[in-house]
Amino acid sequence: VCLCSRDVPSVDIVVWSELPTGAGLGSSAAYAVCLAAALLMVCGAISCPLQEGESTARWTEEELTLINSWAFRGERVIHGNPSGVDNAVGTWGGALRYQAGKITPLKRVPTLRILLTNTKVPRSTKVLVAGVKEKILKFPAIMNPVLDSIDAISQECQSVLEAMPANPSPEHYPVLEEFFDINQHHLNVLGVGHPSLDRLCQVTASHSLHSKLTGAGGGGCGITLLPPDTSLLAVEAAKQDLCACGFECWETKIGAPGVTLHSCSSLSAQVLHALTQS
């Protein structure tokens, strides 16, 4: 199967990313989505949505579906049998619910500020998943209720997130923080925790912030929720303490838009420099 069905001129593709690879952050899916969108546009399979004077633009729903289908093919080349979640999030953005192979976009989800921390501890998703399966088979009466509780946390979290845009009350954040704490304890019970992630949670807790692992666990990355009333001093102090542990931190947002076409004028100086130097 070929993406470009007709002859196109030779092209140079320059890739620049802030996402660390192999850390469970979907860097391969982000790459596959951007590559699919760029090549489909070069081939004329999708439009160039950027109008004169616009800084950014997105494609139609039909075009996004095509981008996602090709990005999923790319993910299969890289991972063999991916779930499709990462490329779907990269394509549509926002938040998605994944259950039993079904992907459902969540409507009207707010953008949340987070601190993203890379513990730099390597891990194998395959080994971690095998360990969880072994525990479930060994102690089904104990582990299945834990999985049911994690599912309940996900459903309750979805309800809170979908209620926030219509009622942006600060009271939602303490509930989300409790969900973070309970979920992290459950993940430790499943065996996908790691001393580095425990340390991450302890450090952020000392600054009254709440964290949990993200991705496969066993090291990798964790996320820390930053409620709107979190002071800049508290965030900077937490980042300094985490970096002192040998971790790497970024302040970012979740729930942002998916793949987007940018005009050159909308790009930051850092990105422009990286692209022009390649």
Side-chain angles (χ1 to χ4, degrees):
V1 180
C2 179
L3 188 151
C4 293
S5 57
R6 61 184 178 84
D7 292 337
V8 294
S10 298
V11 293
D12 290 325
I13 297 174
V14 179
V15 178
W16 178 87
S17 176
E18 287 183 302
L19 287 174
T21 58
L25 297 179
S27 58
S28 65
Y31 168 72
V33 168
C34 290
L35 186 62
L39 290 175
L40 286 166
M41 199 167 65
V42 168
C43 295
I46 59 175
S47 66
C48 175
L50 202 62
Q51 302 297 317
E52 188 175 350
E54 290 182 334
S55 57
T56 61
R58 302 199 66 216
W59 289 271
T60 65
E61 189 68 20
E62 184 179 358
E63 289 172 324
L64 289 173
T65 300
L66 184 60
I67 292 170
N68 185 58
S69 68
W70 279 103
F72 183 60
R73 290 173 185 262
E75 279 283 84
R76 290 179 67 182
V77 171
I78 297 168
H79 295 296
N81 187 30
S83 67
V85 169
D86 287 351
N87 52 276
V89 172
T91 301
W92 280 285
L96 305 174
R97 179 178 178 85
Y98 177 81
Q99 187 173 31
K102 183 181 179 183
I103 300 173
T104 308
L106 305 190
K107 304 298 183 184
R108 293 172 53 81
V109 172
T111 300
L112 301 177
R113 288 175 61 218
I114 61 165
L115 199 60
L116 176 64
T117 302
N118 185 5
T119 66
K120 300 183 182 177
V121 174
R123 79 286 180 279
S124 167
T125 300
K126 185 177 180 180
V127 171
L128 289 161
V129 170
V132 173
K133 286 184 177 178
E134 184 181 351
K135 271 198 171 185
I136 294 169
L137 291 172
K138 189 175 182 180
F139 306 113
I142 297 171
M143 303 311 296
N144 284 325
V146 176
L147 294 174
D148 290 340
S149 182
I150 290 174
D151 180 58
I153 292 168
S154 299
Q155 294 189 46
E156 290 293 326
C157 186
Q158 177 179 342
S159 298
V160 172
L161 291 174
E162 292 183 330
M164 288 176 74
N167 178 28
S169 167
E171 295 175 1
H172 292 302
Y173 285 92
V175 177
L176 292 176
E177 289 173 336
E178 283 195 79
F179 290 162
F180 266 49
D181 294 342
I182 299 168
N183 186 246
Q184 178 62 23
H185 287 304
H186 284 353
L187 293 168
N188 277 328
V189 171
L190 288 178
V192 295
H194 189 272
S196 64
L197 293 166
D198 293 339
R199 182 64 183 144
L200 187 162
C201 292
Q202 290 164 0
V203 168
T204 55
S206 71
H207 297 281
S208 301
L209 298 172
H210 300 254
S211 306
K212 66 176 294 294
L213 68 84
T214 185
C221 290
I223 57 173
T224 304
L225 185 63
L226 300 178
D229 59 355
T230 307
S231 71
L232 181 62
L233 287 175
V235 175
E236 289 304 314
K239 287 167 71 174
Q240 285 184 7
D241 288 350
L242 289 167
C243 289
C245 296
F247 303 155
E248 193 173 11
C249 299
W250 303 270
E251 188 177 341
T252 185
K253 295 176 181 178
I254 53 177
V259 63
T260 303
L261 183 63
H262 297 258
S263 67
C264 288
S265 60
S266 73
L267 300 177
S268 68
Q270 181 187 17
V271 176
L272 280 173
H273 176 75
L275 295 178
T276 54
Q277 293 301 305
S278 300

